[in-house]
Amino acid sequence: LQRLADANIQVIWQTGKHYAIQAAKATIDYHEKGIITMPFIKEMDIAYAAADIVVSRAGAIAISELCITGKPAILVPSPNVAEDHQTKNALALSTHGAAILVKDSEAPASLISTIKTLTTNSSEQKNLSSNISLMAKHNSAVLIAEQVFELALKTKNN
């Protein structure tokens, strides 16, 4: 937290309810530096709009939101999920230059320096933003509805 504050990096940290109290206590001295915590962010669209860079786990919903918003992202996949699917999600982006992958086990040593490096590299931010935007599935609700109707028609005709 001190390294982020020293670099004048503002943080909106969604902690989850299990870590909310611990994180709030840890950041209390940093509020005036722009480092705040929230157990849950109800209006993620506003948080994404405020963000220059997003640091996130790599669940499917987060990945889809990041692709649509086109925000430069640093992904730290949770290793504690079924079949390590978050690492696979993160690799799907990072291998295309659409996100930076930081392994959970390496995060304590390298995450802050990765954040600081990215905040000062506007060309890398633009590259990540451009590449992640290319991976977005626009009109996904329509595509899903079309598939549902197609399956329903197949079922009805069988």
Side-chain angles (χ1 to χ4, degrees):
L1 293 172
Q2 187 63 52
R3 290 172 60 202
L4 293 170
D6 289 346
N8 294 315
I9 297 172
Q10 296 177 339
V11 177
I12 302 170
W13 180 8
Q14 179 176 281
T15 63
K17 66 181 180 181
H18 297 295
Y19 298 102
I21 294 171
Q22 179 184 356
K25 287 179 183 176
T27 59
I28 197 150
D29 294 334
Y30 297 97
H31 289 183
E32 44 187 65
K33 294 280 192 177
I35 298 175
I36 62 166
T37 63
M38 303 173 109
F40 183 76
I41 300 172
K42 292 180 184 175
E43 296 173 317
M44 280 303 294
D45 56 331
I46 295 171
Y48 283 132
D52 295 319
I53 294 168
V54 176
V55 178
S56 177
R57 292 297 194 180
I61 292 173
I63 294 292
S64 64
E65 290 172 345
L66 291 168
C67 290
I68 292 295
T69 62
K71 293 293 179 171
I74 300 170
L75 300 174
V76 185
S78 173
N80 306 315
V81 294
E83 299 176 19
D84 199 23
H85 71 271
Q86 286 196 11
T87 297
K88 294 170 188 164
N89 294 345
L91 284 169
L93 296 181
S94 65
T95 58
H96 291 94
I100 297 170
L101 174 87
V102 174
K103 292 181 181 179
D104 189 78
S105 61
E106 297 170 0
S110 67
L111 181 57
I112 299 299
S113 60
T114 302
I115 293 168
K116 287 173 63 176
T117 299
L118 186 56
T119 60
T120 60
N121 188 338
S122 60
S123 67
E124 179 65 8
Q125 288 179 44
K126 287 177 187 172
N127 286 337
L128 290 168
S129 181
S130 176
N131 292 340
I132 201 168
S133 293
L134 292 172
M135 301 191 78
K137 293 285 185 189
H138 297 280
N139 301 318
S140 58
V142 171
L143 296 171
I144 292 168
E146 287 172 351
Q147 290 293 309
V148 169
F149 284 127
E150 186 177 314
L151 288 170
L153 286 174
K154 284 181 183 178
T155 303
K156 180 180 175 185
N157 293 332
N158 287 337

